[in-house]
Amino acid sequence: MTRPARRVPGTPRTFAGQLARHQGVGPGFDALRVALALSILTYHSFDVVRGPEAATGAAWLLIESLLPMFFALSGFLITGSGQRLSLGSFLLHRGLRIFPALFVEVLFSALILGALVTSLTPSQYLASPGTWRYLLNITGNIQYVLPGVFVGHPHSGMVNASLWTIPWELACYAFISVAIVTAVIRRPAAMVIVSLGAVLLPLIVYLALPYIPGGSAMAGSGGYGRASGLVGGVVARMTRVLLSWEFRVVPFFMAGCVCYILREAIPYSARLAALIAIALVAACLFLPARWDTPILNAVLCPALVYLTVFIGLTPLPRLPVFDRGDYSYGIYLYGYPIQQTLYAVGIAREGWLWHAMVGAVLACAFAAFSWHVIERPILSRRKSIARLILSDWRD
């Protein structure tokens, strides 16, 4: 057994040193993933029961930070994976982790859950193009609606709002893939420059808009039509994407990449993590309750990424039940459809906290099924699968 690396007295502990102490594994990442997934599920219950206009109160920033923290965590861990693997191995590993469980969840939602709760007759439901269009979710082409399903809810017709993150996650994997092909991922300085450029690009575009002719039209609704010519249309679309609410998670992934690359230089400091946590709580109380500009995104990004990785590198108590597998992805996939179903059958329509508790139990049960029946068996065979289809496979 490899012994943990010893720290020389008087030298600061770093993220790299903390990884070495635990044989290259962040001991808190599994618990953090589950905590984030359950926190998002809890907020979704509030949202499902109260509706899209429901206020989040003083905890708005903490709630809005959950998904960015997920992407920061992913960026840190996947950069390490990208440095070890060839392109083919990396894509295979990511594909086996994402798509089999997604495939089963989408089929379940479309052909079982949807068929049970739809207001249409079985023949009408199966004959509707929308039923089969929903299967495009398997490819990352996100569809939210099934015919006659969850109509009349506060989020009317929304089957699984959580799936919006999948295209952005795939985009982040595409970035890592390009970094592998170009060998940038093995050049720390180049990787830091490229990643920081991606973090700062939305901020640069946002600050430059007032000085660009037609900039306001590009950022506002209908900007595509006002932009002149092919180039103008492309620029307008890119501007809209970079300044969109959804894109804000991508800089956190990139910052997670930077955090991994610079792990030798970043201190592992409980005092710094505590100061960041206190600052975030203060921001909840004193900042306007909205996260709508790249300026705020850029300010919060370093703090949230540091706090995320610090927690992931910190030994946390084992969670009963959850130490049997990685249930976070299953909770993410099944949580929202389960919560909409609970609302449909009248469970805790007024009491969002009770709704969240029941939803969490059911989502964890489905997540356990997904892990033990689908995810783990496939992942346990990834080496043999890789050897079959990749001539350059290496673990």
Side-chain angles (χ1 to χ4, degrees):
M1 180 181 294
T2 304
R3 293 182 179 180
R6 292 185 177 180
R7 183 167 62 97
V8 177
T11 61
R13 183 176 292 177
T14 64
F15 281 177
Q18 189 68 3
L19 276 171
R21 286 171 60 85
H22 298 278
Q23 291 79 51
V25 177
F29 279 118
D30 287 343
L32 178 59
R33 271 192 290 259
V34 170
L36 289 173
L38 290 175
S39 297
I40 292 170
L41 182 145
T42 301
Y43 170 68
H44 279 169
S45 277
F46 187 87
D47 203 37
V48 165
V49 172
R50 300 288 184 87
E53 302 302 322
T56 56
W60 70 272
L61 183 55
L62 300 182
I63 293 168
E64 294 287 343
S65 298
L66 297 174
L67 276 172
M69 290 178 72
F70 247 129
F71 273 76
L73 177 157
S74 181
F76 184 85
L77 295 178
I78 287 175
T79 301
S81 176
Q83 287 187 337
R84 295 190 302 271
L85 301 175
S86 66
L87 176 63
S89 296
F90 173 78
L91 292 176
L92 182 67
H93 279 62
R94 289 294 90 206
L96 292 177
R97 186 68 188 94
I98 297 297
F99 289 108
L102 175 64
F103 177 83
V104 173
E105 189 281 327
V106 170
L107 286 181
F108 170 80
S109 293
L111 302 182
I112 299 177
L113 177 61
L116 289 174
V117 302
T118 183
S119 59
L120 305 181
T121 65
S123 59
Q124 288 174 328
Y125 181 76
L126 292 175
S128 173
T131 301
W132 306 104
R133 192 181 305 117
Y134 191 83
L135 300 183
L136 290 173
N137 283 317
I138 295 167
T139 69
N141 183 351
I142 304 306
Q143 311 292 316
Y144 296 110
V145 178
L146 282 169
V149 175
F150 303 142
V151 176
H153 289 208
H155 278 278
S156 184
M158 182 69 71
V159 176
N160 195 345
S162 297
L163 296 183
W164 74 265
T165 63
I166 287 179
W168 299 103
E169 189 172 2
L170 295 178
C172 291
Y173 295 163
F175 167 78
I176 295 295
S177 299
V178 172
I180 292 172
V181 170
T182 59
V184 166
I185 200 166
R186 296 183 180 86
R187 299 171 185 166
M191 188 68 177
V192 169
I193 291 171
V194 172
S195 299
L196 285 179
V199 171
L200 295 175
L201 184 58
L203 178 61
I204 294 170
V205 170
Y206 178 79
L207 295 177
L209 276 180
Y211 307 99
I212 300 174
S216 298
M218 290 182 187
S221 61
Y224 302 162
R226 294 189 182 96
S228 59
L230 177 62
V231 174
V234 171
V235 171
R237 289 178 182 272
M238 290 181 63
T239 300
R240 289 287 300 277
V241 169
L242 289 172
L243 301 184
S244 67
W245 182 87
E246 294 85 357
F247 186 83
R248 70 194 178 108
V249 297
V250 176
F252 282 85
F253 180 93
M254 303 301 183
C257 298
V258 172
C259 204
Y260 184 84
I261 297 296
L262 299 180
R263 64 194 182 280
E264 298 279 358
I266 299 177
Y268 174 82
S269 169
R271 181 176 299 177
L272 178 57
L275 289 174
I276 290 172
I278 292 170
L280 289 174
V281 172
C284 285
L285 299 175
F286 298 109
L287 286 179
R290 61 180 185 273
W291 188 334
D292 58 355
T293 69
I295 295 176
L296 184 57
N297 208 49
V299 170
L300 292 173
C301 192
L304 276 175
V305 171
Y306 181 90
L307 190 61
T308 300
V309 177
F310 175 87
I311 296 171
L313 295 178
T314 300
L316 300 175
R318 283 188 171 273
L319 301 174
V321 178
F322 293 104
D323 59 355
R324 299 177 185 176
D326 182 3
Y327 298 161
S328 58
Y329 187 43
I331 294 171
Y332 158 81
L333 286 177
Y334 289 96
Y336 201 92
I338 287 172
Q339 290 171 301
Q340 285 280 56
T341 303
L342 291 176
Y343 188 91
V345 299
I347 294 180
R349 287 194 174 188
E350 301 301 327
W352 68 268
L353 186 56
W354 175 244
H355 182 274
M357 293 171 63
V358 176
V361 171
L362 292 175
C364 289
F366 274 81
F369 169 83
S370 180
W371 173 256
H372 292 291
V373 178
I374 302 159
E375 299 167 54
R376 187 175 70 174
I378 289 176
L379 292 174
S380 67
R381 293 175 175 84
R382 65 182 181 271
K383 292 183 180 180
S384 58
I385 295 172
R387 290 190 182 98
L388 286 174
I389 64 177
L390 296 176
S391 60
D392 64 340
W393 175 85
R394 56 193 174 106
D395 191 12

